Amino acid sequence: MRIFSIIVANVFLFLWVANGAAAQMTVHHMDVAQGDATLIEFQTAAILIDVGGSKRGETRDHLIQYLDRFFERRVDLKRSLYSLIITHPHADHLEWILHILRRYNVNNLVDAGDRRKHGSVAKMKEARSIFAQQAGALPRSKFYNRIDAADIGPDGYVTNLFKDLRRKEPVIDLRFVNASRACKNPNNDSVVVRVGYGETKLLVTGDAEDEEDSQCVPAIPRMLDKFRGNEILDVDIYKAGHHGSHNGTNQAYLQRLSPKITIISAGHETDRNAKDYGHPRLAAVQQILSSTSMQRPLKRAYALAKAKAEPTSINIDRAVYCTCWDGDITIKTDKTGKILSIDTTR
């Protein structure tokens, strides 16, 4: 029976490669209400960045159902995630991590190693403990990485496992460009991931901010300065920082990124958490619209002028998408940098 399963999986992979999927990267921005979860699909692997969302059962169920359907389609991956990356230990980014670790095979857990008493650090510690137990039962097959800002050089930082992935699929280039520096605001310690797929570049930013921090240079100006001499931050797809918040982006940052497409992950206008924080923020959305180069079909959407404000109706005609307006968002791209499709569920 095992031999038959292996043959079926190999045949599926051959057919999947033969029909052209091998030349694609698919980025799944899952609608987890006020939170963040991004699945990146390659020919040989899948990587999940953040598993948060509002503390509601339907949010958890949607995330799990989405991943279950994904693995039903990608049987060759055998319900395995090559890497699970947690940008920072806040509930809206890691709420469902224990469910993920127990339901799927996670080969690599990555975070910034924060052990301070804030946010959901206790849950992150529990996740590390569970992963360590799993790794102990399967030595040399599971690996934990703690990303520290000191690891990050002028070209970013690449773990050994991501180097191995590039050897398997040479068009893949994953680098870390921000990580923990013991900032006062944990958002500025967000692990920021730059994903390259040939000529296509994606930046997933967690809650990286540009707001003043008494213990560190904020994440956004630090990245702008650190990568001033190269094109690390010049990307095609930008996963907007901090759910489209007023402090999650600025004009200098957007100018350096020059995105074709920008994705915001935030709760719907009826979500109390999104409204309390003012996500997505009107001023930030307007900045993002002026800096995003591709167009999209006209979308009647909204943003909030401030925290706890009533939504302001706006027209979106650039390629700016939000899970709050669009539901699940799926982007397919090839290694030349061409955007093949953008699909939404709303």
Side-chain angles (χ1 to χ4, degrees), residues 268-282 302-312:
H268 190 260
E269 60 185 304
T270 58
D271 188 307
R272 181 176 177 180
N273 288 329
K275 187 171 183 177
D276 283 350
Y277 286 111
H279 296 161
R281 192 64 62 92
L282 180 61
Y302 70 90
L304 281 70
K306 60 181 181 179
K308 300 185 179 180
E310 291 302 313
T312 299

Side-chain angles (χ1 to χ4, degrees), residues 5 8 10-11 56 61 71 85 93 105 110 123 142-143 147 169 181 188-189 204 206 221 224 238 241 268 323 332:
S5 298
V8 169
N10 287 337
V11 169
R56 299 198 304 262
D61 293 347
F71 284 119
I85 302 169
H93 291 257
N105 178 36
V110 180
K123 182 168 286 187
K142 291 177 178 284
F143 302 89
I147 309 300
E169 200 170 343
R181 292 168 290 135
N188 282 317
D189 285 330
V204 182
L224 287 173
Y238 167 44
H268 190 260
T323 55
K332 291 185 179 180

Side-chain angles (χ1 to χ4, degrees), residues 73-93:
R73 176 172 60 83
R74 288 298 309 274
V75 294
D76 56 297
L77 296 180
K78 302 175 184 177
R79 296 177 69 82
S80 292
L81 292 165
Y82 191 88
S83 185
L84 169 59
I85 302 169
I86 302 300
T87 60
H88 63 295
H90 282 165
D92 57 339
H93 291 257

